[in-house]
Amino acid sequence: MSSKEKFSSISPAEFFKRNPELAGFSNPARAMYQALRELVENALDATDIHQILPSIKIIVERTSQEKEIYRLSVEDNGIGIPPHVVPDAFGRVLYSSKYVLRQTRGMYGLGVKAAVLYSQMYQDKPIEISTAPLNSKRIYTFKLKIDISKNEPVIYERGSVNNEIGYHGTTVTMYLLGDWIRAKSRIYEYVKRTYIITPYAEFYFKDPEGNMTFYPRLTNKMPAPPKEVKPHPYGVDIELLKNMISRQKEDTTVKEFLVKEFQSVGEKTALNVIEMAGLDPDKKVQKLPDDQLSKLVDAMKNFPDFRPPSPEALSIIGADLIELGLKQTFNPEYVGAVTRKPKAYQGHPFIVEVGIAYGGGIQPSEEPTVLRYANKIPLIYDEKSDVVWKVVEEVDWKRYGIEEEQPPLVVTVHLCSTKVPYKSAGKESIADVEEIEKEIRNGIMEASRSLKTFMVEKRKEEEARKRLLTYLKYIPELARSLSIFMSDGKKELSTKIKEEIQNKMIDLVVTKLEIKDKDLEIFKSYRVETL
Ligand SMILES: Nc1ncnc2c1ncn2[C@@H]1O[C@H](COP(=O)(O)OP(=O)(O)OP(=O)(O)O)[C@@H](O)[C@H]1O
């Protein structure tokens, strides 16, 4: 037996082809769900971030009876993709327009390529892209696959046609081995949950069974888009610093570098940080040796007086849109939402939003229904390993007036950040970062306080109603006594008067209790039987 190891290197494409589960492509059902997600999230990033009201069309069709191959197509009305970057955007793993400090659904430069890699493993058709950037005179079409060992696109066909109608947007079509029966409920849940927090979008969804669902736009109000920001000094490390320095002009000084490249750093702060690191502010930044770079990083991480990271890079949903989505989907008795103030972890700003809905059309259940979102993406799988679940599980709902064993309760938590600490590239659960966990807890507590006020009012009203109902018992007796008193013993008259008094008093109770017409009969029969 040889004791020699064989060494070689593989490309990023090969890595994700060998380990598809890391990107969420672990079996045909999950892969179908994940591919659809990746396309929808790219479609939404291409629209709302650019202030375009999204219209998204999703079509899934089965194309082969022998193998379970599906054709998945997602069309958007977004900003489109410049034709020269299309091959890399769809055919080079770790290529993205989202490697900047700005909140987007995408962040890894992997999603659609992981779908393409999975797609070409089990069937032979290439991915098809048709796209028109804003104001483009032409619509460009591509068919491509990925050369896995080189991590490069292989173009099978390309072309373009006149764009006579001023269309902009992208349609992506891919073929993949799926399992609709097992993926169906998650896919529907995904579309529904996406719609809840994007009520300014419209979705059309045709599933492989031929069912068509239209989710209409509920409002034209869109969240403010995120702005690209510079890094915050708390978020740096030596390698990031080296990378940034390599892009500086030769004569840039350390002080100029800090002021120009980082948020929250003015002249005075820069000098203080440099002094703390024991460096010369006028030294050329490209001349800093590794040990001084390390000192600079330490000073940046430990300097106590930076302003917190700017929340401008974030785009919240907003309490009103969260409430609107929850109302439309669950028709609850109570709904309330809060958007917390910006906070930061490791130099990244983040904001937590919480929505709570109770009663009405919500199904009672032993555990509350938890809707988790990160950067406007619904997270469906791996619920129990998510920090949101950890926090929700600890909440004592009785403190907020929820007494039922099986409360009809929906808790929505949205975390937005320039860096969401996902546990894997499949983006299904958020890691327990202390600052985030604390903020989620505070958000749930804040939102639950309004729920409590509502529950206290509701209890009070119920009790008042019960009390008033008990008065009913006394009405006939009171009416009878009064009628005898008023009719001077004339029996005929007394029956009439009794009837009149009784009806008046009942009217009074009915009005006070706001008893609806349809309940009135039940109410009257109840009175007769009880008395
Ligand atoms: N429908 C679309 N409209 C506009 N641009 C798109 C669309 N689909 C993909 N892109 C471009 O292709 C790039 C690569 O997409 P991909 O899904 O691989 O990664 P990502 O969205 O950047 O990150 P992640 O892996 O986290 O999803 C995107 O960054 C975007 O620039």
Side-chain angles (χ1 to χ4, degrees):
M1 216 166 60
S2 160
S3 62
K4 275 194 183 152
E5 299 277 4
K6 280 192 186 144
F7 291 93
S8 61
S9 86
I10 58 169
S11 76
E14 178 80 49
F15 176 79
F16 282 103
K17 194 230 126 201
R18 288 187 193 191
N19 304 290
E21 62 288 343
L22 295 181
F25 291 81
S26 44
N27 58 56
R30 181 87 189 246
M32 210 175 171
Y33 156 86
Q34 192 73 29
L36 183 139
R37 250 191 77 164
E38 298 295 352
L39 299 191
V40 170
E41 281 152 26
N42 283 344
L44 286 167
D45 272 348
T47 46
D48 64 0
I49 288 182
H50 305 275
Q51 290 288 282
I52 300 171
L53 287 166
S55 290
I56 314 274
K57 197 167 167 187
I58 310 162
I59 299 178
V60 190
E61 285 165 337
R62 183 154 177 184
T63 59
S64 151
Q65 289 316 314
E66 295 130 45
K67 268 163 104 185
E68 238 189 281
I69 303 294
Y70 294 87
R71 178 178 186 272
L72 164 62
S73 146
V74 175
E75 180 184 335
D76 65 58
N77 58 336
I79 54 162
I81 313 167
H84 67 281
V85 300
V86 170
D88 283 336
F90 291 86
R92 189 184 296 278
V93 174
L94 307 186
Y95 182 90
S96 174
S97 61
K98 300 173 193 167
Y99 296 145
V100 289
L101 284 177
R102 178 172 71 157
Q103 176 193 326
T104 42
R105 294 168 179 85
M107 62 190 239
Y108 297 126
L110 171 67
V112 85
K113 276 80 79 177
V116 175
L117 290 171
Y118 173 82
S119 152
Q120 66 190 54
M121 276 163 77
Y122 302 106
Q123 61 79 49
D124 59 359
K125 290 197 175 61
I127 184 171
E128 301 166 10
I129 302 111
S130 156
T131 188
L134 293 172
N135 304 318
S136 168
K137 295 205 165 52
R138 300 194 71 76
I139 300 174
Y140 301 92
T141 53
F142 291 83
K143 287 190 184 177
L144 58 87
K145 284 191 184 179
I146 300 178
D147 178 329
I148 293 176
S149 60
K150 292 192 187 140
N151 188 27
E152 270 175 19
V154 183
I155 299 172
Y156 281 64
E157 256 180 64
R158 70 193 302 167
S160 69
V161 291
N162 263 344
N163 181 9
E164 274 150 16
I165 50 165
Y167 163 77
H168 58 85
T170 303
T171 304
V172 179
T173 304
M174 60 194 308
Y175 297 81
L176 76 168
L177 178 71
D179 180 344
W180 171 246
I181 298 301
R182 283 177 50 225
K184 182 177 174 178
S185 65
R186 305 265 188 173
I187 287 182
Y188 267 104
E189 194 60 26
Y190 172 78
V191 178
K192 183 178 104 184
R193 291 193 188 190
T194 302
Y195 181 54
I196 291 177
I197 53 145
T198 26
Y200 51 87
E202 60 181 16
F203 296 91
Y204 167 86
F205 178 34
K206 184 172 175 212
D207 77 14
E209 295 166 44
N211 302 310
M212 287 174 267
T213 317
F214 182 62
Y215 301 81
R217 178 172 294 124
L218 300 177
T219 173
N220 286 344
K221 181 176 178 246
M222 276 203 283
K227 293 196 180 122
E228 193 183 327
V229 295
K230 296 174 191 167
H232 190 278
Y234 283 154
V236 294
D237 55 60
I238 300 176
E239 288 307 319
L240 174 68
L241 215 56
K242 275 188 176 172
N243 185 305
M244 292 170 76
I245 290 172
S246 70
R247 283 181 267 127
Q248 300 303 308
K249 288 199 201 121
E250 253 177 46
D251 57 352
T252 305
T253 65
V254 180
K255 188 183 83 184
E256 284 164 352
F257 169 66
L258 291 188
V259 173
K260 188 162 71 89
E261 295 296 336
F262 292 92
Q263 48 169 293
S264 306
V265 186
E267 298 257 330
K268 198 164 153 256
T269 309
L271 288 174
N272 288 339
V273 174
I274 296 167
E275 191 189 340
M276 198 172 149
L279 304 180
D280 171 5
D282 296 321
K283 186 165 178 144
K284 304 285 173 278
V285 72
Q286 291 198 338
K287 295 270 166 350
L288 285 182
D290 279 7
D291 63 327
Q292 294 194 5
L293 276 180
S294 170
K295 282 187 185 144
L296 185 57
V297 168
D298 286 347
M300 289 167 87
K301 283 202 171 303
N302 295 311
F303 184 73
D305 294 329
F306 289 126
R307 269 178 280 122
S310 159
E312 278 194 319
L314 306 182
S315 167
I316 54 166
I317 302 166
D320 48 351
L321 288 189
I322 296 179
E323 287 178 11
L324 179 67
L326 288 173
K327 256 188 218 151
Q328 173 72 13
T329 311
F330 296 102
N331 189 21
E333 202 183 329
Y334 166 85
V335 64
V338 296
T339 299
R340 301 275 302 166
K341 293 223 168 66
K343 291 275 170 354
Y345 82 99
Q346 296 163 15
H348 302 289
F350 71 92
I351 295 180
V352 168
E353 301 186 273
V354 177
I356 293 191
Y358 171 87
I362 301 172
Q363 279 299 107
S365 150
E366 254 170 53
E367 287 165 343
T369 302
V370 180
L371 308 182
R372 298 171 292 133
Y373 295 94
N375 284 357
K376 301 182 183 154
I377 302 177
L379 312 180
I380 310 268
Y381 281 90
D382 307 340
E383 179 176 63
K384 302 274 148 98
S385 65
D386 192 304
V387 65
V388 172
W389 183 261
K390 186 176 161 201
V391 176
V392 171
E393 210 180 24
E394 288 166 6
V395 178
D396 177 7
W397 293 105
K398 289 206 168 58
R399 281 187 50 200
Y400 300 104
I402 305 283
E403 301 286 351
E404 299 99 317
E405 286 291 311
Q406 301 199 336
L409 189 64
V410 174
V411 182
T412 307
V413 176
H414 177 224
L415 166 71
C416 54
S417 178
T418 43
K419 182 162 184 305
V420 174
Y422 291 115
K423 286 192 170 170
S424 82
K427 298 182 187 159
E428 283 296 352
S429 64
I430 305 169
D432 330 10
V433 171
E434 203 184 325
E435 294 90 333
I436 294 179
E437 181 178 336
K438 190 169 156 210
E439 207 28 39
I440 293 175
R441 187 169 292 110
N442 289 341
I444 293 182
M445 276 159 60
E446 186 184 338
S448 302
R449 279 195 284 275
S450 313
L451 171 68
K452 184 177 179 181
T453 313
F454 167 80
M455 294 305 285
V456 169
E457 281 302 310
K458 182 176 147 88
R459 287 275 125 75
K460 267 198 217 150
E461 269 172 31
E462 270 167 11
E463 270 158 29
R465 196 177 165 88
K466 265 193 215 145
R467 236 178 296 135
L468 217 49
L469 276 170
T470 59
Y471 295 158
L472 283 176
K473 280 198 284 198
Y474 303 106
I475 290 179
E477 189 49 37
L478 201 62
R480 199 178 63 82
S481 310
L482 280 172
S483 67
I484 293 171
F485 169 72
M486 287 171 72
S487 61
D488 293 331
K490 290 176 195 137
K491 196 156 189 288
E492 249 173 52
L493 194 60
S494 107
T495 316
K496 203 170 154 244
I497 294 178
K498 178 182 168 228
E499 198 67 18
E500 266 174 30
I501 296 178
Q502 195 161 295
N503 285 343
K504 280 254 157 56
M505 291 174 102
I506 286 170
D507 276 353
L508 211 68
V509 177
V510 166
T511 317
K512 181 79 186 154
L513 291 185
E514 292 175 3
I515 291 173
K516 310 255 159 34
D517 281 354
K518 72 176 169 45
D519 298 330
L520 197 57
E521 288 312 309
I522 308 169
F523 175 79
K524 281 193 171 159
S525 65
Y526 162 75
R527 171 177 62 92
V528 172
E529 276 163 27
T530 340
L531 299 177

